[in-house]
């Protein structure tokens, strides 16, 4: 007790002593007579003693509200007594030495930097200078300098730059003085103008004298000298001076010496300092050339390989890797032009923009080469100071946010006359249909016969007429092509025509009937083993007439000279697709080759180790009843492609079922990126090991596929395929180049191609080398997708996530300024992954995401139309317009039939609010189509909830806004070479017909006062996880700008948040925390913003679905699949049903079984976390999963009332409430 009391008294005493001493010092400052006396020296010495001995005193001096620092600095500024100055400098050094940067910042804010620089200037005039004073001044400046962003300017204005430099020059052997002087020079050199000025005075040469030949003496001095040199060499002028004097070779020699002699790795910081100097000097072309001439690539490669075994040396390996990548000679893509291989002549050439520039390029221009690296050294060093006035800690400001409140306010603008908009009346017959000819009261189902008098599609003047080819159902058989002489004897015994069992001609039955028919098929007819056994390629000939517009009029015959043995499987097909009698009905398309020796035996399959490890088995439904192989081929023959595809990819023909196991987000192996980079660098160092053989080339019309057994065969000549060229680099490594979007010279990301001729047990590396985005979810656990034909023949037709050693990084192929929108010095990026195949001589397909072709959509819509109950569901499938290539853009209308043709029921039918949905404006975002598939199947299902939804709304759906882009394998654009989701403000009817007429539909609804309750455009997101929404809010946009005053009095209905809030509670993949309702300038011409601003739809959304997976909720840590995407589409419908109930809870009398619907709410934590992955800093910055703007505003949140019911299904209805049952069953 006494000890504690004594300690307290001692503390109080010390505190009071400090205050007393500071008061004395302040009085001395006010009295000039006392200032020259011994008093100041005596008081400062006592304060120094307290500061050195007690942390409490140091805290008091810099605490908030304390005047201690001001008094000390005032004394320093006024006194001329050397000892007092030394005492004060020691006091300040003690204060800032402990306590981090906060105390140094306090000293800076009190004007300490200026006082110290002035003192340095006056002290330098002494001859000789006071060494003790100079050491203390430089030590203190080195400590506070990094906290003063203006110190470089202050030093130059005060004329003290060369003082420190001269001290070093004249005292090279005095390490005690040189060390703090070098630290100050390093701080000065962060300012580019200072670095140039110091360089002119010989600082670069001086630094090389210090780091000189290898020596382990004075290593601390050498470390500081290297750091200073690295900062100085960031100036191009200094870097050129270093190159001219041969210092690149000197730096490499120094690095090798330290690498050899530092066997215990005690001097890693010095070695890294040398690398930092090399890194700075190679920022200019002369430096890179000197590095290559000095054999730097081989030196750094060899030394980094020797460091790989020691994890603590990773900083050296990483820095070496960055230097080698930077110095790797820039290569041009091995292409004749970066424009697409395929060309489509536009009916109208835009007056401006990238497409106009593309058309105006002279024919002899080389658009592949990058000219930017040739003249980067011609730029003279700017001596103009460019200071950054913004505080480092200021909040991030996005200049893209719209700040003009007048532009933000929705203004309903039809843009077209009422008379012109009447052309869209034909697409809304539900508003005038009286159903008098329908016997709606009767419960007996009647066949639905579409009205033959309905108006046809809008035909764009530039689009060619679509020729429909109707197959003759009476001629069904298999036309076999001529056998190869190398076929086995058993193949030669195959029948010429294989008659397949025919399906029941009635297509209008229920799905239960369809499933019954499917289950009655023998297992051998899943994908007829007899057909596969006899064919290496199925050719479907149409003997009628060649359609000049369909793009499928020719059949490319290819021979497979490998022998084909009997395909047999002892395992019965569990999932049988309805691929019955009309499988090979006459049409001018053909399936891809079966380059396989047969289905592996079950014994081999059992012995094969699973690449996915242990999987949790899930219940998987059968092949979707809306997939029909026969019907798919029928749809393909009327699909018009620019390359005139004549082949059908097997995955699109067979269909896809979700795999019966979970697919977790891939954990990235440590160091995988640098390993891949080292392998790329080996191409330059060991050039003799590189094969460099072209094995696939779309640009060469006479190119033939290699016949070598050890070379993979590639193909992408099918719908949605995208692969332009393949080059074999090593025996099992291939560089792949993607095709640009048609009428464009960029947008490379989507890929879909076929590989065959592989062997088992070998890891094949694939490098897609011309990607453009600066980062990708491939760096954060996403895997590409693969479809194995061998697995499909085993009745496991599914896309699965595959690949190891996956990463996405900047490569050494340069993008020309033409391809980079005028920007120079841009590089392409590589997606690399390694795959080990499970089956020998398989045919496999790889894709960026789950493919969903235009023909697949047509097939699904046809099946849904044939399956629905016309007594219950009002379903219309119209053609909105023709695309540029002459394909039909489908428009679907879904609602419930009226209960009867009585007036009140017809009135209720006509006055249901509209929901307007669209998808797939960007072809590469295939996940949007899978979400739309889930929405369509749910709307067409027979569950009571779906019926209630149909009775509540009329759905107008455009499931594919960009058919041409989807068909031709584009990633972003239509045939016009433009992003259609940037054309909504002023769409051109000749160039953007689907957007023009989609907007016209909405304008028509606005003109008749029938605005949709909700508009939602389905998209995919390549750089974020989860599913989320973008909406539009004036208030939230203003909150994120500095113009807050205008938004204070702004009244805005927060109902735009209701639907996303509902989905965050009902949809497992949806994350409210990733949503944003900010309107950006760059998005003002998107569908979401235009429909909100011009049409006047408050609930106008873009719904983004991840391409990767989820990091929250039920699916946390899992990659997303078609099951989850379709579930999201269904959950969106459930959300609309709940939204209806919230807005009008008493509107309908609901059946009692619909009231108990909340069996289980999926509570999804929306806290987004970023994975900790190993990514090299400069090329792939840490990927921030967080949204750009805060999407939450708690005071505006719409809380879901506990007593509000919704229409979410029970387990007996459609299984959507069961977390383990995520498929939608159409019962």
């Amino acid at each position: 007790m006494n000890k504690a009391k004594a300690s307290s008294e001692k503390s109080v005493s010390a505190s009071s002593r400090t205050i007393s001493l500071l008061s004395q010092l302040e009085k001395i400052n006010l009295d000039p007579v006392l200032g020259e006396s011994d008093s100041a020296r005596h008081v400062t010495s006592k304060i120094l003693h307290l500061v050195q001995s007690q942390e409490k005193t140091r805290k008091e001096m810099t605490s908030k509200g304390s005047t201690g620092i001001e008094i000390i600095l005032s004394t320093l500024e006024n006194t001329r007594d050397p000892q007092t100055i030394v005492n004060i400098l020691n006091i300040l050094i003690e204060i800032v030495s402990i306590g981090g940067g906060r105390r140094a910042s306090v000293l800076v804010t009190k004007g300490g930097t200026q006082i110290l620089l002035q003192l340095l200037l006056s002290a330098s005039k002494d001859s000789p200078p006071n060494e003790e004073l100079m050491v203390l001044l430089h030590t203190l400046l080195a400590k506070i300098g990094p906290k003063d962003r203006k110190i470089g300017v202050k030093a130059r204005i005060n004329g003290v730059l060369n003082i420190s430099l001269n001290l070093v020059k004249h005292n090279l052997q005095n390490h005690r003085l040189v060390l703090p002087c070098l630290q100050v020079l390093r701080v000065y050199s962060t300012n580019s103008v200072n670095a140039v000025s110091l360089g002119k005075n010989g600082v670069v040469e001086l630094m090389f004298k210090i780091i000189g030949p290898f020596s382990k003496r004075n290593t601390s001095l050498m470390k500081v000298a290297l750091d200073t040199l690295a900062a100085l060499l960031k100036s191009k002028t200094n870097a050129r001076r270093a190159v001219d004097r041969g210092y690149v070779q000197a730096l490499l020699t120094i690095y090798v010496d330290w690498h050899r002699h530092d066997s215990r790795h005690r001097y890693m910081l010095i070695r890294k300092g040398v690398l930092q100097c090399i890194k700075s000097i190679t920022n200019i072309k002369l430096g890179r050339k000197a590095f290559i001439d000095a054999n730097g690539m081989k030196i750094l490669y060899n030394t980094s390989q020797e460091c790989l075994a020691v994890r603590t040396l990773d900083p050296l390996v990483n820095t070496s890797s960055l230097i080698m990548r930077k110095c790797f000679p820039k290569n041009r893509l091995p292409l004749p032009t970066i424009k697409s291989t395929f060309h489509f002549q536009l009916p109208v050439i835009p007056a401006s923009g990238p497409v106009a520039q593309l058309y105006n390029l002279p024919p002899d221009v080389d658009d592949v080469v990058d000219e930017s690296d040739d003249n980067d050294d011609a730029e003279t060093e700017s001596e103009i100071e460019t200071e950054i006035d913004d505080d480092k800690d200021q909040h991030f400001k996005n200049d893209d946010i719209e700040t003009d409140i007048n532009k933000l306010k929705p203004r309903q603008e039809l843009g077209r006359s009422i008379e012109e908009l009447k052309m869209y009346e034909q697409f809304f017959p539900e508003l005038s249909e009286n159903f008098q000819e329908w016997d709606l009261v009767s419960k007996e189902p009647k066949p639905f016969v579409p009205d033959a008098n309905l108006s046809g599609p809008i035909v764009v003047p530039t689009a060619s007429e679509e020729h429909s080819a109707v197959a003759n159902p009476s001629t069904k058989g298999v036309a076999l092509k001529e056998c190869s002489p190398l076929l086995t004897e058993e193949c030669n015994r195959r029948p010429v025509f294989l008659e397949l069992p025919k399906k029941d001609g009635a297509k209008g039955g229920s799905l239960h009937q369809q499933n019954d028919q499917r289950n009655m098929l023998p297992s051998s007819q899943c994908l007829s083993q007899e057909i596969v056994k006899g064919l290496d390629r199925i050719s479907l000939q149409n003997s009628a007439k060649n359609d000049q517009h369909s793009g499928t009029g020719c059949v490319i015959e290819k021979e497979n000279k490998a022998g084909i043995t009997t395909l047999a499987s002892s395992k019965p097909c569990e999932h049988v697709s309805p691929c019955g009698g009309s499988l090979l009905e006459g049409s001018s398309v053909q399936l891809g080759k079966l380059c396989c020796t047969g289905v592996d035996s079950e014994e081999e399959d059992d012995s094969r180790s699973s690449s996915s490890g242990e999987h949790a088995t899930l219940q998987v439904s059968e092949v979707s009843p809306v997939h029909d192989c026969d019907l798919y081929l029928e749809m393909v023959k009327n699909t018009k492609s620019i390359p005139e595809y004549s082949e059908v990819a097997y995955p699109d023909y067979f269909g896809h079922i979700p795999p019966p196991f979970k697919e977790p987000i891939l954990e990235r192996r440590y160091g995988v990126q640098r390993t891949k980079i080292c392998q790329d660098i080996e191409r330059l160092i060991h050039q003799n090991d590189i094969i460099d053989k072209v094995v696939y080339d779309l640009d060469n019309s006479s190119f033939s596929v290699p016949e070598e057994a050890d070379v993979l065969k590639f193909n992408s000549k099918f719908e949605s395929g995208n692969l332009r060229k393949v080059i074999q680099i090593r025996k099992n490594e291939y560089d792949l180049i993607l095709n640009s979007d048609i009428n464009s010279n960029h947008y490379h990301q989507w890929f879909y191609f076929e590989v065959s001729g592989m062997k088992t047990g070998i890891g094949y590396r694939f490098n897609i080398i011309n990607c453009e985005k600066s980062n990708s979810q491939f760096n954060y656990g996403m895997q590409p997708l693969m479809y194995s034909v061998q697995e499909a023949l085993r009745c496991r037709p599914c896309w699965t996530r595959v690949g190891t050693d996956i990463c996405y990084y900047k490569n050494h192929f340069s993008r020309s300024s033409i391809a980079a929108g005028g920007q120079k010095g841009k590089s392409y990026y590589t997606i690399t992954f390694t795959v080990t195949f499970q089956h020998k001589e398989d045919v496999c397909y790889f894709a960026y995401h789950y493919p969903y072709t235009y023909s697949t959509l047509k097939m699904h819509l046809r099946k849904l139309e044939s399956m629905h109950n016309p007594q219950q569901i009002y379903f219309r499938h119209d053609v909105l317009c023709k695309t540029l290539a002459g394909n039909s853009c489908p428009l679907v209308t879904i609602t419930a039939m009226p209960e009867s043709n009585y007036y009140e029921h017809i009135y209720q039918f006509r006055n249901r609010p509209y929901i307007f949905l669209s998808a797939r404006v960007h072809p590469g975002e295939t996940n949007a189509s899978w979400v739309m598939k889930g929405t369509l199947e749910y709307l067409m299902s027979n569950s009571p909830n779906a019926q209630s939804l149909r009775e509540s709304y009329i759905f107008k759906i455009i499931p594919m806004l960009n058919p041409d882009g989807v068909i031709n394998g584009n990633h972003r654009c239509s045939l016009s070479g433009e992003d259609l989701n940037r054309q909504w403000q002023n769409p051109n009817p000749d160039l953007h017909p689907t957007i023009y007429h989609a907007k016209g539909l909405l304008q028509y609804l606005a003109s008749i006062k029938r605005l949709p309750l909700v508009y939602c455009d389905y998209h995919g997101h390549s750089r974020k996880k989860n599913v989320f929404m973008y909406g539009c809010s004036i208030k939230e946009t203003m909150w994120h700008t500095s113009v807050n005053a205008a938004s204070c009095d702004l009244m805005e209905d927060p109902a735009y948040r209701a639907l996303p809030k509902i989905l965050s509670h009902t949809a497992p993949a949806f994350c409210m925390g990733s949503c944003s309702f900010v309107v950006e300038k760059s998005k003002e011409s998107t569908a979401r913003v235009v429909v909100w601003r011009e049409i006047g739809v408050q609930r106008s959304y873009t719904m983004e679905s991840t391409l990767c997976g989820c990091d929250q909720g039920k699916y946390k840590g899992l990659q997303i699949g078609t099951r989850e995407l379709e579930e999201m589409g269904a959950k969106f419908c459930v959300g609309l049903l709940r939204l209806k109930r919230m807005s009008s809870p008493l509107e309908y009398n609901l059946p009692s079984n619909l009231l108990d619907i909340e069996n289980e709410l999926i509570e999804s934590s929306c806290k987004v976390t970023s994975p900790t992955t190993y990514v090299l800093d400069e090329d792939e910055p840490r990927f921030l999963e967080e949204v750009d703007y805060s999407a939450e505003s708690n005071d505006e949140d719409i809380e879901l009332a506990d007593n509000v019911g919704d229409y979410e299904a029970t387990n007996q209805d459609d299984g959507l409430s069961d977390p383990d049952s995520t498929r939608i069953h159409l019962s």
Side-chain angles (χ1 to χ4, degrees), residues 499-503 521-522 525 579-582:
E499 291 296 338
L500 301 177
K502 296 181 179 180
K503 295 189 295 184
L521 289 174
Q525 293 165 6
C579 307
S582 60

Side-chain angles (χ1 to χ4, degrees), residues 389-438:
D389 295 324
D390 298 330
D391 189 353
K392 278 186 179 180
D393 299 326
Q394 73 176 11
H395 293 295
F396 170 75
K397 180 182 178 182
N398 191 313
D399 294 331
D400 194 30
I401 299 178
E402 182 59 74
T403 58
D404 189 342
I405 195 167
N406 294 319
K407 290 184 179 180
L408 284 173
K409 287 181 179 177
R411 56 188 189 281
Q412 200 170 33
E413 297 176 353
L414 293 182
R416 297 160 71 178
S417 67
I418 300 295
E419 290 300 318
E420 187 181 355
L421 291 173
K422 282 186 176 179
M423 66 189 295
Y424 298 105
E425 187 176 356
Q426 60 179 303
F427 296 106
F428 297 91
E430 64 273 9
L431 297 179
S432 58
E433 179 66 69
N434 57 22
F435 296 96
Q436 295 306 309
E437 298 179 2
W438 294 77

Side-chain angles (χ1 to χ4, degrees), residues 25 126 264 388 458 581 601 694 731 879 1091 1131:
L25 193 59
D126 297 339
R264 297 189 179 182
I388 302 172
I458 300 167
S601 66
V694 177
K731 183 177 180 181
V879 176
V1091 172
K1131 291 290 189 180

Side-chain angles (χ1 to χ4, degrees), residues 100 222 225 227 262 391 434 540 584 660 664 870 943 959 965 1054 1096 1216:
M222 185 173 184
D227 290 345
D262 186 23
D391 189 353
N434 57 22
L540 305 173
L584 301 175
S943 74
L1216 286 178

Side-chain angles (χ1 to χ4, degrees), residues 1026 1071-1074 1111-1113 1116 1164-1170:
N1026 311 310
C1071 178
M1072 186 69 186
S1074 296
D1111 59 12
Q1112 54 84 44
K1116 182 177 181 179
S1164 301
S1165 172
C1166 294
K1167 182 179 180 182
V1168 183
T1169 56
S1170 299

Side-chain angles (χ1 to χ4, degrees), residues 41-192:
R41 191 181 309 171
H42 176 71
V43 172
T44 52
S45 65
K46 286 190 174 182
I47 295 175
L48 176 60
H49 175 72
L50 286 174
V51 168
Q52 288 175 335
S53 59
Q54 296 183 13
E55 170 63 17
K56 182 175 178 62
T57 303
R58 292 192 289 267
K59 285 184 178 179
E60 279 184 4
M61 297 280 286
T62 56
S63 63
K64 192 173 182 180
S66 172
T67 60
I69 294 295
E70 287 97 327
I71 296 170
I72 293 291
L73 289 175
S74 176
T75 306
L76 182 63
E77 190 175 16
N78 296 323
T79 187
R80 295 294 178 266
D81 179 48
Q83 186 58 48
T84 302
I85 294 174
V86 169
N87 288 343
I88 292 176
L89 291 177
N90 278 310
I91 290 170
L92 294 176
I93 291 172
E94 288 292 334
I95 289 174
V96 299
S97 295
I98 303 176
R102 191 192 67 82
R103 295 180 182 177
S105 299
V106 171
L107 194 57
V108 170
T109 56
K110 303 295 185 183
T113 308
Q114 183 68 26
I115 295 172
L116 292 173
L117 291 174
Q118 287 290 341
L119 182 60
L120 177 61
L121 182 62
S122 62
S124 65
K125 296 175 181 178
D126 297 339
S127 182
N130 186 327
E131 179 181 327
E132 179 70 17
L133 184 59
M134 286 299 182
V135 170
L136 292 175
L137 270 172
H138 282 86
T139 301
L140 188 55
L141 281 170
K143 289 182 181 296
I144 70 169
K147 293 298 177 181
D148 189 348
R149 301 181 67 205
K150 296 285 188 179
I151 190 172
V153 180
K154 293 174 183 177
R156 190 166 66 253
I157 292 173
N158 285 282
V160 300
L161 277 182
N162 292 323
I163 293 175
S164 304
L165 178 58
N166 290 330
L167 282 172
V168 175
K169 284 182 178 179
H170 298 112
N171 298 275
L172 277 178
Q173 303 305 317
N174 187 348
H175 298 153
R176 178 172 177 267
L177 176 59
V178 169
L179 183 63
C181 289
L182 289 178
Q183 291 173 332
V184 172
L185 286 175
R186 180 179 60 188
V187 174
Y188 289 164
S189 300
T190 56
N191 181 287
S192 59

Side-chain angles (χ1 to χ4, degrees), residues 319-338:
T319 308
S320 297
S321 177
L322 289 172
I323 294 169
M324 289 187 287
R325 292 172 70 183
K326 183 166 51 177
C327 296
F328 200 112
K330 287 290 183 183
N331 292 348
R332 61 173 285 155
L333 279 178
L335 296 174
T337 174
I338 54 174

Side-chain angles (χ1 to χ4, degrees), residues 1030-1041:
Y1030 293 134
C1032 301
S1033 163
I1034 303 177
K1035 205 162 190 176
E1036 295 200 34
T1037 302
M1038 300 306 291
W1039 283 337
H1040 290 89
T1041 68

